[in-house]
């Protein structure tokens, strides 16, 4: 018997409707996707910073 807490109230997932269970799964999927996107954004930001540093090193020194 799994439990889930929503807005401070605990629910027994076995007692929820199929619609509610589906919505829980959709929320969990969205949370996972958002975490994945945050990780990908961090990777892209790190790469961008490295490219910006490389660009600074490749620019003419007398400008």
């Amino acid at each position: 018997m799994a439990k889930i807490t929503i807005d401070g109230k605990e629910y027994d997932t076995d007692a929820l409707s199929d619609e509610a269970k589906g919505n829980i799964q959709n929320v969990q999927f969205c949370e996972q996707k958002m975490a994945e996107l945050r990780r990908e954004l961090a990777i892209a930001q790190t790469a961008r910073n490295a490219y910006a540093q490389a660009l600074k090193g490749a620019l003419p020194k007398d400008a």
Side-chain angles (χ1 to χ4, degrees):
M1 186 163 39
K3 303 234 183 238
I4 187 167
T5 302
I6 300 171
D7 293 334
K9 186 172 179 184
E10 191 173 86
Y11 298 90
D12 176 4
T13 56
D14 292 336
L16 297 176
S17 68
D18 288 341
E19 179 183 6
K21 290 177 187 176
N23 284 326
I24 290 169
Q25 288 177 332
N26 290 336
V27 168
Q28 289 172 333
F29 173 81
C30 290
E31 290 290 338
Q32 290 170 352
K33 186 64 175 177
M34 290 166 51
E36 177 185 336
L37 290 170
R38 282 190 291 272
R39 287 189 298 272
E40 289 179 16
L41 179 58
I43 291 167
Q45 288 173 327
T46 299
R48 183 210 174 274
N49 292 341
Y51 289 131
Q53 283 300 112
L55 173 59
K56 287 179 185 178
L59 293 174
K61 304 293 186 224
D62 60 346

